[in-house]
Amino acid sequence: MPIAHRQGNYMATDDIIKSLEDNDQVAFKYSDLEGGNPNGSINDIAGIFNENKTILGMMPHPERAAESILGSSDGLSIFKSFTKIC
């Protein structure tokens, strides 16, 4: 997914990171073509869920890749997946 900047990196304490990972609350991770992290986010975190997985916070921008006229429609699958949950 496109990112709009390089400053939107996730930061948290080691305890919070461990809790998010232990509770399967990490929704997305960054990875560039070489498998690296493009912005330095801790543990490559690009998106997280709340404990009930009813709220998603994320830094990537799927709306910038939701139509082929934008160069990719890959982001559309993220929006479609929301309707399957509801």
Side-chain angles (χ1 to χ4, degrees), residues 3-73:
I3 56 176
H5 47 74
R6 299 182 79 74
Q7 298 103 356
N9 54 354
Y10 186 75
M11 307 290 278
T13 65
D14 291 342
D15 290 341
I16 291 173
I17 298 294
K18 182 173 179 0
S19 176
L20 289 170
E21 291 182 345
D22 288 350
N23 294 320
D24 198 29
Q25 289 175 255
V26 176
F28 303 108
K29 289 196 171 204
Y30 288 113
S31 179
D32 61 17
L33 294 176
E34 290 80 39
N37 179 335
N39 73 355
S41 180
I42 294 177
N43 285 24
D44 305 327
I45 294 174
I48 60 172
F49 291 112
N50 68 337
E51 290 180 1
N52 298 325
K53 295 186 181 163
T54 56
I55 298 173
L56 168 66
M58 63 185 219
M59 290 303 298
H61 290 269
E63 76 280 3
R64 295 181 180 196
E67 296 183 87
S68 56
I69 194 169
L70 299 172
S72 173
S73 60

